[in-house]
Amino acid sequence: MIIDCHGHFTTAPPALGEWRNRQIRAVEGGGDPAPAAPAPADLRIGDDELRAAIEGNQLRLMDERGIDLTVFSPRASFMAHHIGDFSTSSQWAAICNDLVHRVCSLYPTRFAPAAMLPQSPGVDPATCVPELVRCAEELGVVAVNLNPDPSGGHWNAPPLTDRYWYPVYEKLVEYDLPAMVHVSTSVNPAFHTTGSHYLNADTTAFMQLLQGDLFADFPTLRLVIPHGGGAVPYHWGRLRGLGMALGRPPLDKHLLDNVFFDTCVYHQPGIDLLLKVVPRRNVLFASEMIGAVRGIDPETGEYFDDTRRYVESAGLPADELAAVQEGNARAVYPRLDALLKSQGR
């Protein structure tokens, strides 16, 4: 199998965005009378609309590229935890998670659900636990997305190693769920959302984990850093050296039983570097289609995000290629492995 561990519902029917815009207008207020907040029941999207949103987009590309299954979550830039308060995020997260679950129920052999959390700036992450539990017990999610910066580019939350985050980690461990460390929209004009904020966050998350000792408290917690780890593979020597200066154990002993990277890197030299520097047991195949980079590379004539081409051109031995494309995902996402086994795969 080829398992894509990083997919988002970026092609959701327009009704979802229209509902969200109504919610945002109600949060922002203004007008006389002030706009009313929409109710969850106001969102009406039929199964045929979901099929149309998926079959001509993600599913078509998966078939063209030979990808068997995608771990599917709400659109990352739509999480926008900085908008409103916890109540706002809670309602929005539930709606998005339910919609992803419906897609995965329509195509149970092609998509497995992952959830967003109802995070809100300055709000105790313990408030996310009920939605996490609901998604694990009722929606069958195989992972969650954890935003290390709910402020949207201002970075005023404690580092991921702080006990502030422990209520979420405790539940992740209890349900044997990994978390993909994934930020959302940047509202800081200094940081372009997908070009710098995402990649900055990947690098920042790894450095936070390097500085701390989180996995001494949570030895079975698994975190996936997307987009190839941001600058991490390119600066592996710097990070190893900083770890030594900080008195940390070597990276392989300190982090690499718990931290993993995906292959959302959109050119061959980047994939080659990732697979040369990071131990291959720590790399999971992913493409994040249809995502930030949707065009065709004029140098190759192929889509930038057709990452299977890069991975299979990297010259890996057959067993290591199979691990990157399937085996590592099954190990890092045990609930996905159980789901596949229940399907006879």
Side-chain angles (χ1 to χ4, degrees):
M1 292 184 64
I2 297 179
I3 298 170
D4 187 334
C5 77
H6 188 171
H8 300 296
F9 197 3
T10 54
T11 61
L16 180 65
E18 292 164 4
W19 189 97
R20 176 62 161 172
N21 288 336
R22 289 178 58 197
Q23 187 190 44
I24 293 172
R25 286 196 296 271
V27 167
E28 293 175 345
D32 186 16
D42 292 341
L43 178 63
R44 296 182 179 87
I45 297 176
D47 285 353
D48 286 345
E49 292 176 88
L50 292 178
R51 292 189 182 97
I54 291 294
E55 290 180 1
N57 293 296
Q58 285 89 350
L59 196 57
R60 174 180 61 83
L61 291 173
M62 287 168 65
D63 288 341
E64 289 177 3
R65 300 174 188 182
I67 295 171
D68 296 287
L69 179 138
T70 295
V71 177
F72 206 50
S73 68
R75 185 174 180 175
S77 62
F78 265 29
M79 295 191 299
H81 294 117
H82 63 278
I83 294 174
D85 56 14
F86 172 73
S87 175
T88 307
S89 289
S90 181
Q91 198 171 63
W92 178 232
I95 282 175
C96 291
N97 290 334
D98 287 345
L99 204 61
V100 163
H101 176 256
R102 286 178 59 196
V103 170
C104 296
S105 297
L106 289 171
Y107 304 96
T109 64
R110 306 305 303 276
F111 297 96
M116 66 178 277
L117 298 176
Q119 298 175 244
S120 188
V123 177
D124 187 342
T127 57
C128 296
V129 168
E131 178 65 7
L132 193 161
V133 171
R134 183 184 80 92
C135 289
E137 295 187 354
E138 299 179 20
L139 305 187
V141 300
V142 301
V144 304
N145 291 335
L146 178 65
N147 185 352
D149 174 38
S151 73
H154 295 291
W155 288 96
N156 50 25
L160 291 170
T161 51
D162 193 274
R163 296 189 67 87
Y164 175 83
W165 299 99
Y166 277 28
V168 172
Y169 298 151
E170 288 164 0
K171 283 299 174 183
L172 291 175
V173 168
E174 178 181 342
Y175 286 98
D176 209 8
L177 287 166
M180 179 170 282
V181 181
H182 204 308
V183 289
S184 185
T185 299
S186 169
V187 293
N188 185 335
F191 302 121
H192 182 275
T193 292
T194 54
S196 61
H197 185 44
Y198 280 19
L199 306 181
N200 292 345
D202 304 332
T203 311
T204 298
F206 190 84
M207 189 63 204
Q208 289 178 357
L209 297 171
L210 173 60
Q211 289 177 273
D213 201 14
L214 175 64
F215 303 114
D217 287 342
F218 297 99
T220 62
L221 178 65
R222 297 176 304 282
L223 301 178
V224 179
I225 299 181
H227 318 115
V232 171
Y234 189 67
H235 286 290
W236 198 252
R238 173 184 287 259
L239 294 164
R240 287 178 55 236
L242 287 171
M244 292 172 57
L246 293 168
R248 302 286 86 193
L251 289 184
D252 59 337
K253 294 181 172 59
H254 186 42
L255 298 181
L256 295 187
D257 287 336
N258 306 87
V259 178
F260 304 86
F261 304 83
D262 75 16
T263 64
C264 292
V265 178
Y266 297 146
H267 68 149
Q268 190 67 52
I271 288 289
D272 292 343
L273 176 70
L274 172 68
L275 293 171
K276 183 176 181 179
V277 171
V278 175
R280 289 159 190 174
R281 70 182 179 89
N282 291 84
V283 179
L284 283 64
F285 176 77
S287 69
E288 201 178 8
M289 71 162 84
I290 298 166
V293 184
R294 305 185 182 192
I296 291 176
D297 184 347
E299 296 181 4
T300 65
E302 306 293 344
Y303 283 97
F304 283 102
D305 64 3
D306 187 358
T307 53
R308 180 181 176 181
R309 293 178 179 274
Y310 311 137
V311 172
E312 293 186 349
S313 296
L316 297 183
D319 59 334
E320 294 185 2
L321 176 62
V324 169
Q325 291 184 324
E326 176 185 5
N328 295 346
R330 285 182 179 265
V332 176
Y333 295 69
R335 291 168 67 100
L336 172 62
D337 183 53
L339 173 64
L340 294 172
K341 287 177 177 175
S342 74
Q343 298 172 344
R345 297 195 284 174

